[in-house]
Each structure stands twice: as structure tokens, then as C-alpha cells.
Amino acid sequence: MPHAGDLLAGLLEAAGVTYVFGQPGGQTAALYDGIAHQPDVRHVLVRDERSGAYAADAFARLTGRPGVCDVTVGPGTTKLADGLVESLNASVPVIAIVGELPADWEPLRDKGVASQGFGQVGFLTSITKATLVVPSVATLPDLIRGAFRIATSGRPGPVAVVVPHDVLDSSWDPGVGAPDCLADDRFSRAPAFRPVADPASIAEAAALLDAAARPLIIAGGGVHASRATSELADLANRTGAVVVTSFTGKGAVDETAPLAAGVLNPLGSTASLELARRADTVFWCGCKVGQNTSHNWQLPLPHQATIQLDIDPAELGRTFRPSVALHGDARATLEALASSVREQRRAAWRQIAAQAVGEAASARLAEEASDAVPVAPQRVMAELAARLRAGDVVVSDASFSAGWIAAHLPARRGGRDFLFARGQGGLGYAVPAAIGACAARPDDRVVTVSGDGGFSYAIGELATHAQLGTRSTHLVLNNGSLGWLAMWQRLYFDGLRQSVDLESPSTRPSFAGAARSLGCTAFEVVRPGDLAGTLDAALGSDGPAVVEIRIDPAATPIHSFRRRLAEGDQLPRAPRPGTVYRVPAWHRSPLVPAPSAGEDKESNAGRTRH
Ligand SMILES: Cc1ncc(C[n+]2csc(CCOP(=O)(O)OP(=O)(O)O)c2C)c(N)n1
Ligand SMILES: [Mg+2]
């Protein structure tokens, strides 16, 4: 007799789902039975449910289609949190199928009286865009359609569908009534709709861009979510604007093109901040003006005229009042805006940008060519950059890896080829996310870059990669420590070194050794001269390969750390505990660009919290 698990699998198939990432429990066995009978839906067994959520997140970012993961009740659900909060903060459409105790056990749910039970719905509600509970098999089709509709419409996000055990095991009679396995194809891919900002606001934005002498576009993840890279490049070319991106927006433009000035972040390109401060008109495009992209909300500067475009009206005006607010889909609105602006070359401004970008590139050269042992991470990135092609996917772990990637691996085309876990900045994203990336882009090479701390979180997933035979290469930048925190303690807590070392004189984990045991090809590199051959071998291997590189523990991509380290002990140790973190000053952007009073003042980017 067919059961609700068959219906659920059929509904997923109808919605265009090809992959489900998860780990089974007794409460979800019927779903697995259903998937087993759906030839077009493949289930990937991850070693930790957190990885399933990360894999679904990466799959969704690269395809625009909701990534799907599944967990069992209780301990499976709690492990979803890292991934779902990442997807929620980064506006990524994900659907989590969540097991639950039978509905009749409700009175026994609390505090583990009924095995594994806890107040899941309250927990999930706080970490999802919506949490839907399925009361009966008859409601399953509508609720699954609802999950896809909510995940992909407006600002995308994660949706949890909680299916009680008795509902999932209950029988389903496909012959009765209307056909059940129907999906609304509008909601199989985000964005479900493309509303255009109102014409009056578009005209105002066009007038501002026409009047600007130094226009700059800050592109965020919203440009990728809307697949608006061509429209963005078109607008930038018509207006002569310079384009920088957030981490999540990397690849919104081809970074080898003259209009691009890299990633705007305390770990990003030095040229981007300089140009963001020199611009007279700043267009925040699908970018939430977060702490890092705005350099602790110092940007935009009060004299800069601003345009802000977002699909979520609640974002417009959050940290400053934009001169013009555009509420709409990025692609549709950029297209309308591009046809409204006057074409201008702005050669002088582009020249300033080219010079800033060129100087930043020259400043990187010595470190990128370094022969030092332990290896300079910049050299690792330069060797990798020389081997990457447009279309390869790069997945970053948190910490310094994100900065090394942002500054040294240029996006070679407009498109989403770089993934950063910037929704939360959680360690341990890269290797599990790469499972989803390999599923989404089976014909492309997938490369991850992690520190030894971040890599330790998800090492078990190397077995998943090996089992799947993914074409993935995983770089471990091993500095023996939680490098970011080691530097933070040293600089801000008087040379403290507390619980930041990942090895001791008698223990030194071998990540390559562990990778080999789990079924991967693995390499160790201690000399820079061995990088080229090793990377060639790793990138050329058929299955997953791990390259562990012993890197310089004193290297950091954070500009404020670099300055402080270079200035050494002459600097007072500050800020110290007791520092007051003030609420960032909200301001109104002028209606026309004001004279650039603060244009050339020194940045006070302050310290980067992580
Ligand atoms: C899950 C999680 N825990 C803690 C942190 C805080 N944190 C930020 S960077 C960092 C150090 C990471 O070490 P590693 O991965 O080796 O990278 P490195 O800094 O050495 O480049 C830590 C603990 C975090 N971002 N995420
Ligand atoms: Mg480290």
C-alpha cells in the first residue's frame, strides 16, 4: 500500500528536486522508501545533518532551485541550526523535511520522555522563514507546495516542513480524488516573481547616476539570487560606474574587467575601500549593508548620494536613508534602470579606479611570489589562481581563507562561482557545502579552501565525497592554530595565547593522513616549489583530493591586523575590555552628491569582530 512517504517523494520530484541531503531516522524511513522509488530523486547520505543543511544551501545558491535536506526528530533537528541560520541570513531557498514524534505522543514530547522529542516547532520557527507542521496526509500536497512558494518568493529563505511519524507512515491512496503530486512550477526556482521598482523611483535613480561624477556600485548576494550579472555589467558599462562586491556578491561582475575593484570587506581588496570612499554616488544593489561590507557601517559616507535596491522592503533604509530606494527584483529593475540612464564613459573616474586596482595588485605581487617556508598563503592562492578556469567553483570556509580567496582569486566571469558562508560566518561550511556544489555543477571542478580549525569540523564528510567520487579538491591551510583568534588575543589582550593552538609538541594532526584513511587522494606540501605539481595532480584527479599545506602562522589577510603587526610594539594595546560599541549613526543621504568633504580622510576601519 502506498504511504505518505511515497506522496512526499512524489511531490518533491514534481517540484523538480533532484537531490536530497540527509541522514535517516526511524521516523523518516517512509520518506526514504518513497525516494527509493523515485528514479529522478537522488538521496545523499551525509555524516552529520549540519552537512546536509550546508549541502542544500550550496546547491540552492548555485542553481536557484530550493536545496532539500532531511533530518529525524530531535538530535537531527538541532543539527540543522547552523545551516538554516546561514540560509536565513543569506536569503537562500532551502527546504528541510523534519521528522517528528507521532501527534498522539504530544503530551510525552517534552524533555525526552518520548525518545528524542523536544519543542521542535518553536526552535525551528526562530531559524527559518517559515515552519509548517503537517497534520495529515491529505494536507501534505498543499503544505509542500506552500514550502516551495515561501522559499522562492520575495526574499528567499529556508522553510522547515515538520512531518509527524504517524502522518509519514500513514497510507495514501493515490487513486482517490484529484491527482496529488502536482507542483506549481513558478516556485521551483527563485526568484518566483520579478517585480520592477516603480517608474518614478527608477527615473530618480537614473537622474542621480546621470549627475554623478564618481558612481560606484556595491553588489551583494541579491544580484546572484536574481541572476542579474549581465544586467549589472550593462548598467556599469553604460554609466562608467566602478563595481565592488560583498563576499556573497563576488562574481557579480567579471573581476578581470576594468570596471571591477574587488571585494569590499576588511579582508577584501584595498582598492575597494579607497574607491568606496572616493565615490560621490553609491548604489547598494542587492546588498544588506552588513557590518563587514560597510566597514562597521562607516559606509556610505554622509555626503554620498545613495541608491538602494532590494527585493525586501524592510532592508531599505535600515542603516541610512537612501537618496532613492528601489523596491524590486534586481534583474528586472537593473534592466529598467539601464535603459533610463544617459551613456557616459567617465574616463577620469575609471582611470582612478584602474590605478587603485593596479597599485593593489602590485602590492600583492611580492607575497604571491614568496619562496618562504612555511609557505605564504598568498603564494598558495597565486598558484591556485593560475590553474583555475572560468566556471570552476570555489567554496570558502570562514576565517582567513575567505580573505585569501577574495583578494587573490579573481572571478573570471560574471556568475555565481564563489560561495562564502557569510550569512553566519560559521567554521566548517566548505567541505559539506562542496557536496551540494558537486551535485549542482557535476561538470565543473569544485575547490574548497579551509583553515585547519574549520576543516576539523567536517572532516567526516570526506568519506561522503569519497563515496560519491566527487571531482573536488580541498585545500587545508594549516597554521597549527585558530589563526584569527590567536592574532586577536595577541593584539587586543596583551599577547594572550589561550586555547588557540590545534597541536602540541607531541600531537600534530595530519589532515592528509585522515583524508587518505577516509578514501581520498591526499598530498602534503611544506615547500612552495611543490605547490605547482601538487595542485596539478589534485585538480586532475578523478575523485576527491585533499592538499594540506603548512602555512606561515604570522600571515593574515585582515588589513587592520597587518597594520598593527607591522607597527609592532610601538602601538598602545587597544581597544581593551571595557570598549564601548556605539550604535552606528543613522543618516540621510543627500538628494544630490554633496562636495566630498571626507573623501581623502584616513579610514578608521577599526577592528573586525568575528
Ligand atoms: C562555528 C564557529 N566557531 C567559532 C568561530 C570564531 N572563529 C572565527 S575565525 C576562527 C579561527 C579559525 O581557525 P582556522 O579555521 O584554522 O582558520 P585560520 O584563522 O587559522 O585561518 C574562529 C574560532 C566561528 N567563526 N565559527
Ligand atoms: Mg588555522
Side-chain angles (χ1 to χ4, degrees):
M1 180 76 180
H3 50 70
D6 296 311
L7 173 58
L8 178 48
L11 287 162
L12 294 177
E13 193 273 340
V17 173
T18 49
Y19 277 92
V20 178
F21 306 93
Q23 166 116 219
Q27 297 82 354
T28 55
L31 170 64
Y32 284 68
D33 188 41
I35 290 176
H37 296 99
Q38 284 292 346
D40 294 336
V41 182
R42 183 163 180 199
H43 192 273
V44 173
L45 170 64
V46 289
R47 271 48 173 181
D48 178 331
E49 289 83 348
R50 179 179 60 191
S51 309
Y54 279 155
D57 175 278
F59 183 89
R61 289 187 202 219
L62 291 172
T63 61
R65 284 153 48 201
V68 181
C69 55
D70 68 277
V71 299
T72 193
V73 54
T77 302
T78 51
K79 288 179 181 55
L80 276 177
D82 288 4
L84 293 189
V85 177
E86 175 60 37
S87 304
L88 183 67
N89 291 354
S91 312
V92 179
V94 164
I95 291 173
I97 309 290
V98 178
E100 176 60 291
L101 298 178
D104 273 0
W105 292 7
E106 178 68 26
L108 303 171
R109 190 190 61 196
D110 265 349
K111 311 220 167 40
V113 177
S115 178
Q116 299 183 207
F118 83 109
Q120 296 193 129
V121 174
F123 173 79
L124 289 165
T125 302
S126 71
I127 56 173
T128 54
K129 187 175 174 190
T131 293
L132 313 175
V133 181
V134 181
S136 63
V137 65
T139 58
L140 197 52
D142 274 337
L143 286 169
I144 292 295
R145 279 190 289 270
F148 279 84
R149 177 173 49 77
I150 296 167
T152 57
S153 54
R155 180 182 190 150
V159 177
V161 182
V162 180
V163 195
H165 193 175
D166 51 337
V167 174
L168 198 55
D169 277 359
S170 61
S171 53
W172 162 56
D173 187 348
V176 177
D180 290 320
C181 291
L182 288 181
D184 186 335
D185 56 349
R186 286 202 176 106
F187 306 116
S188 289
R189 197 174 187 201
F193 303 106
R194 295 187 176 278
V196 191
D198 70 273
S201 306
I202 289 176
E204 283 175 34
L208 259 190
L209 288 171
D210 286 348
R214 297 184 299 280
L216 177 109
I217 301 174
I218 301 176
V223 172
H224 289 306
S226 172
R227 292 188 298 284
T229 50
S230 322
E231 291 72 15
L232 180 75
D234 188 34
L235 180 73
N237 285 327
R238 277 171 193 252
T239 55
V242 172
V243 183
V244 298
T245 74
S246 66
F247 271 129
T248 310
K250 188 172 168 86
V253 284
D254 174 354
E255 290 179 319
T256 62
L259 57 86
V263 171
L264 182 63
N265 189 286
L267 289 76
S269 84
T270 45
S272 63
L273 179 59
E274 182 188 336
L275 294 165
R277 302 184 87 254
R278 295 188 73 167
D280 64 351
T281 301
V282 180
F283 179 5
W284 297 81
C285 185
C287 176
K288 65 188 173 203
V289 197
Q291 181 196 338
N292 290 316
T293 309
S294 68
H295 283 256
N296 284 333
W297 300 286
Q298 289 179 84
L299 299 172
L301 300 172
H303 69 269
Q304 290 172 329
T306 55
I307 302 165
Q308 195 184 358
L309 165 58
D310 210 285
I311 188 69
D312 182 355
E315 282 301 331
L316 299 166
R318 190 202 281 273
T319 55
F320 63 96
R321 184 186 189 281
S323 315
V324 181
L326 298 172
H327 173 213
D329 167 66
R331 187 204 277 180
T333 304
L334 284 169
E335 207 172 4
L337 189 53
S339 61
S340 310
V341 293
R342 230 184 26 245
E343 277 202 44
Q344 296 187 60
R345 284 185 54 241
R346 294 200 170 81
W349 172 228
R350 282 281 176 89
Q351 182 54 39
I352 290 172
Q355 195 175 336
V357 170
E359 281 168 10
S362 315
R364 290 196 296 267
L365 281 179
E367 288 169 330
E368 288 179 343
S370 166
D371 280 326
V373 177
V375 180
Q378 297 93 330
R379 171 77 186 265
V380 180
M381 291 296 113
E383 299 279 1
L384 179 60
R387 288 164 176 78
L388 288 183
R389 311 187 281 255
D392 290 335
V393 178
V394 178
V395 189
S396 174
D397 213 80
S399 201
F400 292 166
S401 300
W404 300 131
I405 290 170
H408 300 275
L409 301 183
R412 295 188 195 280
R413 65 173 189 181
R416 189 168 243 179
D417 298 318
F418 288 82
L419 300 184
F420 296 89
R422 297 308 300 182
Q424 278 225 98
L427 294 168
Y429 175 78
V431 172
I435 297 169
C438 290
R441 299 266 288 265
D443 299 327
D444 296 317
R445 300 185 300 185
V446 173
V447 178
T448 72
V449 184
S450 310
D452 43 337
F455 196 75
S456 302
Y457 275 74
I459 205 156
E461 298 303 344
L462 292 177
T464 313
H465 278 285
Q467 193 177 14
L468 295 171
T470 62
R471 212 166 154 223
S472 58
T473 301
H474 306 274
L475 270 56
V476 189
L477 303 179
N478 187 353
N479 55 11
S481 64
L482 304 174
W484 186 311
L485 273 302
M487 272 184 207
W488 183 275
Q489 293 184 356
R490 175 176 164 190
L491 293 173
Y492 299 117
F493 284 81
D494 271 333
L496 175 70
R497 197 160 182 105
Q498 170 66 50
S499 299
V500 291
D501 290 301
L502 295 166
E503 51 192 34
S504 60
S506 57
T507 59
R508 194 165 171 172
S510 163
F511 296 99
R516 261 178 230 120
S517 318
L518 291 167
C520 301
T521 310
F523 307 86
E524 282 119 334
V525 174
V526 291
R527 278 177 303 275
D530 295 335
L531 277 168
T534 305
L535 287 175
D536 282 339
L539 289 165
S541 86
D542 277 341
V546 170
V547 183
E548 176 184 356
I549 306 138
R550 196 74 203 177
I551 61 150
D552 178 5
T556 173
I558 304 179
H559 303 300
S560 59
F561 283 12
R562 288 167 69 93
R563 276 198 302 275
R564 293 187 75 88
L565 290 170
E567 285 157 359
D569 288 333
Q570 296 137 21
L571 265 178
R573 302 277 183 199
R576 299 296 315 263
T579 305
V580 176
Y581 292 98
R582 254 175 272 112
V583 178
W586 187 90
H587 68 267
R588 298 168 74 97
S589 299
L591 295 178
V592 290
S596 49
E599 191 192 319
D600 288 314
K601 269 199 208 136
E602 205 13 61
S603 150
N604 99 52
R607 57 176 174 161
T608 309
R609 267 174 293 162
H610 203 67

